[in-house]
């Protein structure tokens, strides 16, 4: 009797566990739909030949990606999503692993390894236009990437990493990214004139890194890019920095909607006109805070002067002297004496001793973007004063 009671208890328990398992099983199709809701904002989509669900692991079998305007899809292979949990209609994913990329088209081959995202959050509704509708990941990683043409490697990177961090008070995000070991082989260029320039400038082998660092304060919509640099050996480092306000999640949603309307309109001329008007309206919401472009020379300037001078039958030094003499004359056409003197002084110092050249725009207080556009169209000579434009060198 005890045996039968025990057996019935075990069978009931098994039935309950089976019911619970089926009731709380992940819906792989819904997960893929919500991922596509995100990509759909940019006109892209991911397809899969099958979806396997095993506990908290979802596998998109034979996945492919198609972006807006593309005729063919890009094969992605199997995508494995580990640690998937439903979260208020959306999903959190501990890690997404992509299959290694290896495909060839038109004689060019591309390979990429160790592609993954961690700490991923898929929103329940990507169309709301607020913080909860944003796609988020803590880190992204790519291993070695290689591009070959006719069996010769023309481009490669050692690896790339990107990180995003939500602030504890949920006021915004901080992010950074870096692409390491960028290499390009320009020695196989066929065009004679281009090849001559590459050899004179010693650009046969390019080696460097690209870095970015910034933040997004979502309330005022302030995007601050403190570094977006291209640093290449024996060439130099170009760094771009800027800050604008008004780029809120709602603004981003409006921008996506405008682009989506353009893509869906078969009359592209009409669509472009409508998009132009929409963009002008959106620009009313943006404010310019500051910007800077800086180049730190690593010997490319001297080689460029020597090469350009040779084409004109003079030395690099003679060409530099000519440029120094011409700069005030060209700047005088703008009829902005203060800017003319600053640019002339900076160019002279840089050409005499190439170290760095910096262009900075830092107005005393933030300037609405429409005001800048209006000044550029109606009174271009006032632009330097409106945006606080300054030019310096070797500082």
């Amino acid at each position: 009797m005890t045996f039968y009671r025990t057996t019935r208890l075990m069978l009931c328990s098994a039935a309950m566990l089976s019911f619970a398992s089926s009731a709380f099983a992940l819906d792989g199709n819904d997960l893929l739909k919500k991922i596509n809701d995100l990509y759909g904002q940019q006109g892209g989509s991911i397809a899969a030949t099958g979806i396997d669900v095993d506990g908290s692991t979802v596998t998109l079998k034979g996945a492919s990606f198609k972006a807006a305007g593309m005729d063919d899809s890009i094969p992605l292979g199997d995508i494995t999503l580990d640690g998937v949990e439903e979260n208020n209609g959306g999903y959190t994913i501990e890690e997404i692993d992509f299959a290694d990329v290896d495909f060839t088209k038109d004689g060019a081959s591309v390979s990429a390894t160790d592609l993954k995202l961690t700490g991923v959050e898929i929103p329940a509704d990507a169309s709301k236009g607020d913080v909860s509708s944003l796609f988020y990941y803590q880190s992204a990683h790519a291993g070695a990437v290689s591009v070959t043409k006719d069996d010769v490697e023309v481009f490669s990177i050692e690896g790339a990493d990107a990180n995003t961090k939500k602030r504890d008070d949920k006021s915004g995000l901080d992010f950074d990214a870096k692409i390491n070991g960028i290499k390009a082989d320009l020695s196989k260029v066929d065009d004679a004139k281009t090849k001559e320039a590459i050899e004179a400038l010693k650009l046969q082998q390019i080696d460097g890194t690209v870095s970015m660092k910034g933040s997004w304060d979502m309330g005022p919509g302030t995007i601050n890019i403190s570094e977006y640099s291209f640093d290449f050996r024996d060439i130099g480092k170009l760094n771009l920095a800027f800050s604008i306000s008004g780029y809120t999640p709602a603004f981003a949603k409006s921008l996506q909607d405008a682009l989506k309307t353009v893509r869906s309109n078969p009359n592209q001329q009409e669509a472009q006109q409508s998009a132009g008007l929409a963009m002008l309206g959106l620009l009313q919401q943006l404010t310019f805070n500051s910007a800077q472009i800086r180049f730190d020379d690593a010997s490319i300037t001297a080689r460029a002067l020597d090469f350009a001078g040779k084409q004109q039958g003079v030395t690099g030094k003679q060409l530099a002297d000519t440029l120094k003499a011409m700069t005030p004359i060209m700047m005088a056409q703008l009829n902005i004496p203060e800017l003319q003197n600053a640019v002339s002084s900076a160019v002279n110092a840089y050409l005499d001793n190439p170290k760095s050249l910096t262009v900075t725009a830092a107005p005393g207080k933030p300037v609405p973007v429409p005001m800048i556009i209006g000044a550029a169209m109606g009174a271009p000579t006032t632009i330097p004063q409106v945006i606080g434009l300054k030019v310096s060198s070797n500082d």
Side-chain angles (χ1 to χ4, degrees):
M1 202 57 180
T2 302
F3 170 77
Y4 289 116
R5 283 199 299 269
T6 303
T7 302
R8 284 198 300 271
L9 180 60
M10 291 175 63
L11 290 174
C12 287
S13 299
M16 291 176 65
L17 288 172
S18 176
F19 174 77
S21 177
S22 61
F24 295 103
L26 290 169
D27 186 342
N29 289 305
D30 182 64
L31 173 58
L32 180 56
K33 177 185 179 301
K34 285 185 168 57
I35 291 174
N36 276 322
D37 287 343
L38 284 167
Y39 279 116
Q41 302 296 325
Q42 286 82 38
S45 63
I46 291 179
T49 58
I51 302 176
D52 291 346
V53 178
D54 182 9
S56 63
T57 298
V58 177
T59 304
L60 305 180
K61 308 288 288 186
S64 59
F65 174 74
K66 188 174 183 180
M70 289 180 58
D71 294 328
D72 300 320
S73 298
I74 299 174
L76 301 176
D78 292 352
I79 302 176
T80 304
L81 301 86
D82 286 318
V84 181
E85 291 186 8
E86 195 276 338
N87 182 31
N88 295 322
Y91 295 89
T92 59
I93 307 168
E94 290 182 4
E95 183 169 301
I96 302 178
D97 291 296
F98 298 84
D100 290 347
V101 175
D102 190 4
F103 70 91
T104 301
K105 186 175 182 179
D106 299 329
S109 298
V110 179
S111 66
T113 61
D114 197 19
L115 306 171
K116 60 185 176 183
L117 297 170
T118 62
V120 179
E121 296 180 10
I122 306 294
D125 185 355
S127 65
K128 292 173 64 177
D130 60 13
V131 175
S132 67
S133 64
L134 298 175
F135 169 71
Y136 172 78
Y137 64 86
Q138 290 180 350
S139 67
H141 173 76
V145 176
S146 175
V147 178
T148 61
K149 178 70 173 177
D150 299 326
D151 298 324
V152 176
E153 185 175 72
V154 294
F155 176 82
S156 67
I157 67 171
E158 293 178 1
D161 289 282
N163 303 286
T164 307
K165 183 179 180 181
K166 286 183 178 180
R167 295 175 185 166
D168 293 337
D169 60 4
K170 300 181 181 180
S171 64
L173 305 171
D174 298 295
F175 51 86
D176 64 80
K178 189 170 186 179
I179 305 175
N180 293 305
I182 301 173
K183 292 182 173 60
D185 185 356
L186 305 182
S187 63
K188 303 297 189 294
V189 172
D190 295 327
D191 183 76
K193 289 186 176 181
T194 304
K195 190 177 185 68
E196 179 187 6
I198 289 173
E199 291 178 350
L201 296 173
K202 297 182 180 179
L203 299 178
Q204 297 95 328
Q205 304 293 328
I206 294 178
D207 183 1
T209 61
V210 174
S211 302
M212 184 175 69
K213 183 179 294 185
S215 62
W216 183 17
D217 292 303
M218 295 185 183
T222 300
I223 292 182
N224 179 42
I225 304 296
S226 58
E227 178 185 8
Y228 190 9
S229 65
F230 303 79
D231 191 357
F232 288 87
R233 180 172 54 85
D234 295 331
I235 296 177
K237 180 178 180 180
L238 176 66
N239 186 57
L240 312 175
F242 67 89
S243 175
I244 60 171
S245 295
Y247 197 95
T248 62
F251 178 92
K253 175 65 169 51
S254 298
L255 183 60
Q256 290 171 349
D257 289 343
L259 295 175
K260 194 173 182 179
T261 300
V262 172
R263 289 191 295 264
S264 63
N265 192 335
N267 187 333
Q268 282 300 295
Q269 183 176 357
E270 179 184 286
Q272 294 294 340
Q273 292 175 348
S274 298
L277 292 174
M279 292 301 175
L280 285 175
L282 289 172
L283 287 175
Q284 303 289 326
Q285 305 175 40
L286 297 180
T287 302
F288 174 79
N289 300 322
S290 64
Q292 184 183 88
I293 302 175
R294 178 184 174 94
F295 178 70
D296 289 278
D297 182 68
S299 76
I300 188 66
T301 301
R303 297 198 301 274
L305 287 170
D306 288 340
F307 174 69
K310 184 178 180 181
Q311 307 305 304
Q312 301 178 35
V314 298
T315 65
K317 176 65 168 58
Q318 290 171 326
L319 178 60
D321 290 338
T322 300
L323 291 174
K324 289 192 292 183
M326 290 176 60
T327 298
I329 298 174
M330 293 187 292
M331 292 300 301
Q333 299 177 23
L334 298 177
N335 195 27
I336 310 175
E338 184 178 350
L339 182 63
Q340 175 184 339
N341 294 334
V343 172
S344 298
S345 176
V347 170
N348 287 352
Y350 182 78
L351 291 176
D352 285 340
N353 183 22
K355 290 184 178 180
S356 69
L357 190 62
T358 307
V359 179
T360 303
K365 60 180 181 179
V367 181
V369 170
M371 182 182 294
I372 299 174
I373 296 175
M377 295 176 64
T381 58
T382 66
I383 284 290
Q385 183 178 358
V386 170
I387 63 175
L389 186 64
K390 296 181 179 179
V391 181
S392 62
S393 62
N394 300 342
D395 49 6

